[in-house]
Amino acid sequence: MEKIVSFCKRKGFVFQSSEIYGGLGGFYDYGPLGSQMKKNIKDSYLNFMVNSRQNIVSLDSAIITNSKVWEASGHLKNFTDPLTECKSCHKRFRADHLMEKNNVNDLSLLKCPECGGELMDVRNFNLMLKTFIGPVEDASAVAYLRPETAQSIFINFKNVLDTQRIKIPFGIAQIGKAFRNEITPSNFIFRTREFEQMEMEFFIKPGEQEKWYKYWISESMRWYTEVLGIKKENLRVKEAAKEDLAHYAIACSDIEYNFPSIGWSEIEGIASRGDYDLSQHEKFSGQELKYFDEATKEKYVPYVIEPSVGVDRLMLALICDAYSEYEKGRSQDGDSMETVLKLNSKISPVKIAVLPLVKNKEVITSKAKEVFDLLSPYFISEYDETGTVGKRYRRQDEIGTPFCVTIDFETLEDNAVTIRNRDTMEQERVLISELKEYFNKNV
């Protein structure tokens, strides 16, 4: 994982937030390559989850909502983690994490992992980040940065139902920022205080929850393996025991990825939430949130299946899965380490690198820039003329660019270029006039 963290900073994927001021724990900034990769992940999610399905719509809701939303949902009362503090150095820790790491069931058996001091009794710590609305900071102005995007979907259930011609079963999907005041943010972008979620609430008729619960687990795994290209052996589905379920859940499964250094950890949770959320908001708001089935003349509060993906965790999993090192290069005759990021082309931050064979021949560079101008409106492309072609190939391999297009002296005669494949290193000649069609098929 240390290599991954170093790689992400060195190549412009992820930076520590506020780094020039010493950083801020649990917050990260995404660089030129990281921000583009995140966009590609989110676009893939929308295409797979929303655009390709007739019965799922999207939503983009506010980060701050009326505080009663969090009272109704149970977050004000139940959204807590067990906190302990060292009596000597006053460092704070997640009590459950300390016990799990040391394989004990009683916190009193443990000492502070920082200084060896005595730990205080456990108390519940609410994870929501508080703010104030308006000029006066009093109790009436208290608001919270949302700890999840799901509740915004539930409180817009009636709006969507009233404005869209949609019938159960149907889903509302949303991508957006969420905030949790984690006691101990850790493992790079895996556990942070500001993060992004891709959530969908799929509303169903009560009694059909088991069928749809299994369906969305299967669909999520299909997206990871068939669309994003994550290795199957690095994924698993882990169902939560009944005693470990959240207060609202009928059933819940985590899709876990086997991270280096971290081990098996959640990238997505799929929960069968019953009618808890809509019933709570109906109770607290006084608004009816039932669904009327015109075919059967039934009126009921729908049940919900919720697949919830962490964008940042998924991005980390994709980088870990794609990161490959070759001690003597892939040809095994080099004298330095070669790194290749074997990302699926749909997720790669740069799709095509355009490379003039030499940079001191204007006829070559001019033609190369023509090719770049031809491709860049349709595919995220990069123009690179610095260093030898071999070094430029390696540079692009390292950031996951699936194809390099080289313009050479032959191009001036036959109007064709050499396309090099990142993974196979095979090369083929393609006419410039056919490049858009070629990449439409292959990127």
mmCIF file of all heavy atoms in Angstrom, residues 56-88:
data_model
loop_
_atom_site.group_PDB
_atom_site.id
_atom_site.type_symbol
_atom_site.label_atom_id
_atom_site.label_comp_id
_atom_site.label_asym_id
_atom_site.label_seq_id
_atom_site.Cartn_x
_atom_site.Cartn_y
_atom_site.Cartn_z
ATOM 1 N N ILE A 56 -34.970 3.264 -13.786
ATOM 2 C CA ILE A 56 -34.116 3.931 -12.803
ATOM 3 C C ILE A 56 -33.830 5.352 -13.275
ATOM 4 O O ILE A 56 -33.453 5.574 -14.427
ATOM 5 C CB ILE A 56 -32.799 3.161 -12.558
ATOM 6 C CG1 ILE A 56 -33.123 1.770 -11.995
ATOM 7 C CG2 ILE A 56 -31.895 3.922 -11.592
ATOM 8 C CD1 ILE A 56 -31.923 0.933 -11.678
ATOM 9 N N VAL A 57 -34.022 6.309 -12.366
ATOM 10 C CA VAL A 57 -33.781 7.719 -12.669
ATOM 11 C C VAL A 57 -32.703 8.249 -11.733
ATOM 12 O O VAL A 57 -32.335 7.597 -10.754
ATOM 13 C CB VAL A 57 -35.073 8.558 -12.531
ATOM 14 C CG1 VAL A 57 -36.120 8.102 -13.535
ATOM 15 C CG2 VAL A 57 -35.628 8.470 -11.100
ATOM 16 N N SER A 58 -32.202 9.451 -12.029
ATOM 17 C CA SER A 58 -31.126 10.013 -11.217
ATOM 18 C C SER A 58 -31.597 11.231 -10.438
ATOM 19 O O SER A 58 -32.633 11.828 -10.731
ATOM 20 C CB SER A 58 -29.935 10.388 -12.100
ATOM 21 O OG SER A 58 -30.298 11.358 -13.055
ATOM 22 N N LEU A 59 -30.790 11.591 -9.438
ATOM 23 C CA LEU A 59 -31.092 12.710 -8.551
ATOM 24 C C LEU A 59 -29.785 13.392 -8.189
ATOM 25 O O LEU A 59 -28.729 12.744 -8.129
ATOM 26 C CB LEU A 59 -31.791 12.184 -7.290
ATOM 27 C CG LEU A 59 -32.266 13.197 -6.249
ATOM 28 C CD1 LEU A 59 -33.497 13.937 -6.768
ATOM 29 C CD2 LEU A 59 -32.603 12.498 -4.930
ATOM 30 N N ASP A 60 -29.834 14.697 -7.949
ATOM 31 C CA ASP A 60 -28.677 15.441 -7.460
ATOM 32 C C ASP A 60 -29.186 16.385 -6.388
ATOM 33 O O ASP A 60 -29.775 17.423 -6.683
ATOM 34 C CB ASP A 60 -28.011 16.217 -8.605
ATOM 35 C CG ASP A 60 -26.739 16.928 -8.173
ATOM 36 O OD1 ASP A 60 -26.351 16.782 -6.999
ATOM 37 O OD2 ASP A 60 -26.145 17.635 -8.997
ATOM 38 N N SER A 61 -28.986 16.023 -5.125
ATOM 39 C CA SER A 61 -29.618 16.752 -4.022
ATOM 40 C C SER A 61 -28.604 17.561 -3.218
ATOM 41 O O SER A 61 -27.391 17.383 -3.348
ATOM 42 C CB SER A 61 -30.341 15.772 -3.096
ATOM 43 O OG SER A 61 -29.419 14.862 -2.537
ATOM 44 N N ALA A 62 -29.117 18.424 -2.352
ATOM 45 C CA ALA A 62 -28.287 19.308 -1.540
ATOM 46 C C ALA A 62 -27.505 18.526 -0.484
ATOM 47 O O ALA A 62 -27.975 17.508 0.035
ATOM 48 C CB ALA A 62 -29.160 20.363 -0.863
ATOM 49 N N ILE A 63 -26.325 19.040 -0.161
ATOM 50 C CA ILE A 63 -25.480 18.416 0.860
ATOM 51 C C ILE A 63 -26.039 18.678 2.258
ATOM 52 O O ILE A 63 -25.961 17.835 3.145
ATOM 53 C CB ILE A 63 -24.031 18.918 0.730
ATOM 54 C CG1 ILE A 63 -23.357 18.254 -0.484
ATOM 55 C CG2 ILE A 63 -23.223 18.655 1.992
ATOM 56 C CD1 ILE A 63 -21.999 18.808 -0.827
ATOM 57 N N ILE A 64 -26.611 19.863 2.468
ATOM 58 C CA ILE A 64 -27.193 20.219 3.763
ATOM 59 C C ILE A 64 -28.716 20.185 3.648
ATOM 60 O O ILE A 64 -29.296 20.743 2.712
ATOM 61 C CB ILE A 64 -26.721 21.615 4.214
ATOM 62 C CG1 ILE A 64 -25.208 21.600 4.456
ATOM 63 C CG2 ILE A 64 -27.447 22.058 5.478
ATOM 64 C CD1 ILE A 64 -24.623 22.952 4.803
ATOM 65 N N THR A 65 -29.362 19.515 4.594
ATOM 66 C CA THR A 65 -30.825 19.404 4.596
ATOM 67 C C THR A 65 -31.370 19.835 5.955
ATOM 68 O O THR A 65 -30.619 20.062 6.913
ATOM 69 C CB THR A 65 -31.278 17.955 4.323
ATOM 70 O OG1 THR A 65 -30.734 17.101 5.342
ATOM 71 C CG2 THR A 65 -30.796 17.465 2.979
ATOM 72 N N ASN A 66 -32.669 19.924 6.048
ATOM 73 C CA ASN A 66 -33.334 20.198 7.313
ATOM 74 C C ASN A 66 -32.899 19.170 8.360
ATOM 75 O O ASN A 66 -32.878 17.970 8.091
ATOM 76 C CB ASN A 66 -34.854 20.139 7.087
ATOM 77 C CG ASN A 66 -35.637 20.652 8.270
ATOM 78 O OD1 ASN A 66 -35.431 20.236 9.408
ATOM 79 N ND2 ASN A 66 -36.566 21.562 7.991
ATOM 80 N N SER A 67 -32.576 19.629 9.574
ATOM 81 C CA SER A 67 -32.085 18.728 10.623
ATOM 82 C C SER A 67 -33.082 17.634 10.990
ATOM 83 O O SER A 67 -32.687 16.569 11.483
ATOM 84 C CB SER A 67 -31.725 19.528 11.877
ATOM 85 O OG SER A 67 -30.615 20.358 11.627
ATOM 86 N N LYS A 68 -34.372 17.881 10.734
ATOM 87 C CA LYS A 68 -35.380 16.867 11.051
ATOM 88 C C LYS A 68 -35.198 15.600 10.207
ATOM 89 O O LYS A 68 -35.643 14.521 10.607
ATOM 90 C CB LYS A 68 -36.778 17.441 10.838
ATOM 91 C CG LYS A 68 -37.169 18.485 11.884
ATOM 92 C CD LYS A 68 -38.591 18.975 11.673
ATOM 93 C CE LYS A 68 -38.983 20.006 12.735
ATOM 94 N NZ LYS A 68 -40.361 20.517 12.519
ATOM 95 N N VAL A 69 -34.549 15.754 9.038
ATOM 96 C CA VAL A 69 -34.253 14.573 8.208
ATOM 97 C C VAL A 69 -33.439 13.573 9.009
ATOM 98 O O VAL A 69 -33.709 12.361 8.999
ATOM 99 C CB VAL A 69 -33.493 14.990 6.929
ATOM 100 C CG1 VAL A 69 -32.979 13.760 6.185
ATOM 101 C CG2 VAL A 69 -34.382 15.823 6.021
ATOM 102 N N TRP A 70 -32.440 14.072 9.749
ATOM 103 C CA TRP A 70 -31.517 13.188 10.476
ATOM 104 C C TRP A 70 -32.123 12.695 11.786
ATOM 105 O O TRP A 70 -31.728 11.650 12.293
ATOM 106 C CB TRP A 70 -30.193 13.903 10.693
ATOM 107 C CG TRP A 70 -29.687 14.447 9.390
ATOM 108 C CD1 TRP A 70 -29.564 15.750 9.022
ATOM 109 C CD2 TRP A 70 -29.318 13.671 8.233
ATOM 110 N NE1 TRP A 70 -29.131 15.839 7.724
ATOM 111 C CE2 TRP A 70 -28.973 14.587 7.215
ATOM 112 C CE3 TRP A 70 -29.247 12.307 7.970
ATOM 113 C CZ2 TRP A 70 -28.562 14.183 5.946
ATOM 114 C CZ3 TRP A 70 -28.845 11.891 6.714
ATOM 115 C CH2 TRP A 70 -28.503 12.814 5.719
ATOM 116 N N GLU A 71 -33.083 13.444 12.302
ATOM 117 C CA GLU A 71 -33.829 12.953 13.463
ATOM 118 C C GLU A 71 -34.719 11.795 13.037
ATOM 119 O O GLU A 71 -34.770 10.746 13.694
ATOM 120 C CB GLU A 71 -34.673 14.088 14.061
ATOM 121 C CG GLU A 71 -35.451 13.676 15.299
ATOM 122 C CD GLU A 71 -36.355 14.788 15.821
ATOM 123 O OE1 GLU A 71 -36.345 15.898 15.248
ATOM 124 O OE2 GLU A 71 -37.088 14.524 16.794
ATOM 125 N N ALA A 72 -35.411 11.956 11.920
ATOM 126 C CA ALA A 72 -36.311 10.912 11.428
ATOM 127 C C ALA A 72 -35.547 9.650 11.035
ATOM 128 O O ALA A 72 -36.000 8.531 11.301
ATOM 129 C CB ALA A 72 -37.106 11.440 10.236
ATOM 130 N N SER A 73 -34.408 9.816 10.407
ATOM 131 C CA SER A 73 -33.644 8.664 9.918
ATOM 132 C C SER A 73 -32.948 7.895 11.029
ATOM 133 O O SER A 73 -32.501 6.765 10.825
ATOM 134 C CB SER A 73 -32.595 9.125 8.906
ATOM 135 O OG SER A 73 -31.603 9.917 9.542
ATOM 136 N N GLY A 74 -32.821 8.521 12.206
ATOM 137 C CA GLY A 74 -32.137 7.869 13.324
ATOM 138 C C GLY A 74 -30.669 8.219 13.431
ATOM 139 O O GLY A 74 -29.985 7.751 14.351
ATOM 140 N N HIS A 75 -30.182 9.076 12.546
ATOM 141 C CA HIS A 75 -28.757 9.406 12.579
ATOM 142 C C HIS A 75 -28.366 10.212 13.821
ATOM 143 O O HIS A 75 -27.266 10.039 14.353
ATOM 144 C CB HIS A 75 -28.368 10.182 11.310
ATOM 145 C CG HIS A 75 -28.186 9.306 10.111
ATOM 146 N ND1 HIS A 75 -29.241 8.831 9.373
ATOM 147 C CD2 HIS A 75 -27.056 8.809 9.531
ATOM 148 C CE1 HIS A 75 -28.777 8.087 8.382
ATOM 149 N NE2 HIS A 75 -27.466 8.055 8.448
ATOM 150 N N LEU A 76 -29.227 11.100 14.262
ATOM 151 C CA LEU A 76 -28.891 11.886 15.450
ATOM 152 C C LEU A 76 -28.717 11.006 16.677
ATOM 153 O O LEU A 76 -27.903 11.289 17.554
ATOM 154 C CB LEU A 76 -29.974 12.939 15.718
ATOM 155 C CG LEU A 76 -29.982 14.160 14.793
ATOM 156 C CD1 LEU A 76 -31.135 15.085 15.141
ATOM 157 C CD2 LEU A 76 -28.663 14.914 14.880
ATOM 158 N N LYS A 77 -29.455 9.920 16.714
ATOM 159 C CA LYS A 77 -29.412 9.032 17.886
ATOM 160 C C LYS A 77 -28.467 7.860 17.698
ATOM 161 O O LYS A 77 -27.739 7.481 18.630
ATOM 162 C CB LYS A 77 -30.826 8.502 18.171
ATOM 163 C CG LYS A 77 -30.913 7.605 19.378
ATOM 164 C CD LYS A 77 -32.350 7.129 19.598
ATOM 165 C CE LYS A 77 -32.453 6.201 20.805
ATOM 166 N NZ LYS A 77 -33.852 5.725 21.003
ATOM 167 N N ASN A 78 -28.437 7.295 16.500
ATOM 168 C CA ASN A 78 -27.751 6.013 16.305
ATOM 169 C C ASN A 78 -26.465 6.058 15.487
ATOM 170 O O ASN A 78 -25.730 5.071 15.449
ATOM 171 C CB ASN A 78 -28.704 5.027 15.607
ATOM 172 C CG ASN A 78 -29.952 4.758 16.414
ATOM 173 O OD1 ASN A 78 -29.868 4.455 17.602
ATOM 174 N ND2 ASN A 78 -31.120 4.879 15.785
ATOM 175 N N PHE A 79 -26.168 7.190 14.821
ATOM 176 C CA PHE A 79 -25.007 7.219 13.922
ATOM 177 C C PHE A 79 -23.748 7.523 14.721
ATOM 178 O O PHE A 79 -23.209 8.629 14.687
ATOM 179 C CB PHE A 79 -25.226 8.249 12.823
ATOM 180 C CG PHE A 79 -24.306 8.071 11.645
ATOM 181 C CD1 PHE A 79 -24.344 6.924 10.873
ATOM 182 C CD2 PHE A 79 -23.398 9.053 11.313
ATOM 183 C CE1 PHE A 79 -23.511 6.759 9.787
ATOM 184 C CE2 PHE A 79 -22.552 8.908 10.229
ATOM 185 C CZ PHE A 79 -22.602 7.754 9.472
ATOM 186 N N THR A 80 -23.295 6.528 15.466
ATOM 187 C CA THR A 80 -22.175 6.717 16.376
ATOM 188 C C THR A 80 -21.137 5.614 16.217
ATOM 189 O O THR A 80 -21.437 4.525 15.718
ATOM 190 C CB THR A 80 -22.654 6.720 17.840
ATOM 191 O OG1 THR A 80 -23.290 5.459 18.131
ATOM 192 C CG2 THR A 80 -23.631 7.853 18.104
ATOM 193 N N ASP A 81 -19.923 5.931 16.655
ATOM 194 C CA ASP A 81 -18.849 4.946 16.774
ATOM 195 C C ASP A 81 -18.353 4.942 18.215
ATOM 196 O O ASP A 81 -18.389 5.981 18.899
ATOM 197 C CB ASP A 81 -17.680 5.294 15.841
ATOM 198 C CG ASP A 81 -17.878 4.763 14.426
ATOM 199 O OD1 ASP A 81 -18.733 3.875 14.248
ATOM 200 O OD2 ASP A 81 -17.186 5.228 13.512
ATOM 201 N N PRO A 82 -17.861 3.787 18.695
ATOM 202 C CA PRO A 82 -17.350 3.716 20.071
ATOM 203 C C PRO A 82 -15.978 4.390 20.179
ATOM 204 O O PRO A 82 -15.029 3.987 19.511
ATOM 205 C CB PRO A 82 -17.264 2.210 20.335
ATOM 206 C CG PRO A 82 -17.108 1.600 18.985
ATOM 207 C CD PRO A 82 -17.842 2.481 18.026
ATOM 208 N N LEU A 83 -15.868 5.397 21.020
ATOM 209 C CA LEU A 83 -14.649 6.193 21.157
ATOM 210 C C LEU A 83 -13.979 5.925 22.494
ATOM 211 O O LEU A 83 -14.635 5.844 23.537
ATOM 212 C CB LEU A 83 -15.004 7.682 21.058
ATOM 213 C CG LEU A 83 -13.931 8.705 21.444
ATOM 214 C CD1 LEU A 83 -12.800 8.694 20.424
ATOM 215 C CD2 LEU A 83 -14.531 10.101 21.553
ATOM 216 N N THR A 84 -12.649 5.779 22.464
ATOM 217 C CA THR A 84 -11.867 5.735 23.697
ATOM 218 C C THR A 84 -10.697 6.701 23.572
ATOM 219 O O THR A 84 -10.283 7.042 22.463
ATOM 220 C CB THR A 84 -11.359 4.314 24.006
ATOM 221 O OG1 THR A 84 -10.703 4.318 25.279
ATOM 222 C CG2 THR A 84 -10.377 3.827 22.952
ATOM 223 N N GLU A 85 -10.210 7.135 24.714
ATOM 224 C CA GLU A 85 -9.124 8.125 24.730
ATOM 225 C C GLU A 85 -8.057 7.699 25.730
ATOM 226 O O GLU A 85 -8.366 7.129 26.776
ATOM 227 C CB GLU A 85 -9.676 9.499 25.120
ATOM 228 C CG GLU A 85 -8.653 10.613 25.093
ATOM 229 C CD GLU A 85 -9.265 11.972 25.405
ATOM 230 O OE1 GLU A 85 -10.433 12.185 25.041
ATOM 231 O OE2 GLU A 85 -8.571 12.814 26.009
ATOM 232 N N CYS A 86 -6.807 7.967 25.400
ATOM 233 C CA CYS A 86 -5.712 7.645 26.309
ATOM 234 C C CYS A 86 -5.633 8.707 27.414
ATOM 235 O O CYS A 86 -5.651 9.910 27.130
ATOM 236 C CB CYS A 86 -4.385 7.589 25.551
ATOM 237 S SG CYS A 86 -2.950 7.324 26.611
ATOM 238 N N LYS A 87 -5.525 8.278 28.675
ATOM 239 C CA LYS A 87 -5.458 9.208 29.800
ATOM 240 C C LYS A 87 -4.138 9.960 29.852
ATOM 241 O O LYS A 87 -4.064 11.034 30.460
ATOM 242 C CB LYS A 87 -5.668 8.450 31.110
ATOM 243 C CG LYS A 87 -7.064 7.861 31.274
ATOM 244 C CD LYS A 87 -7.208 7.123 32.601
ATOM 245 C CE LYS A 87 -8.623 6.555 32.761
ATOM 246 N NZ LYS A 87 -8.779 5.801 34.035
ATOM 247 N N SER A 88 -3.116 9.409 29.182
ATOM 248 C CA SER A 88 -1.790 10.037 29.229
ATOM 249 C C SER A 88 -1.543 10.977 28.048
ATOM 250 O O SER A 88 -1.301 12.167 28.218
ATOM 251 C CB SER A 88 -0.695 8.968 29.279
ATOM 252 O OG SER A 88 -0.837 8.146 30.421
#
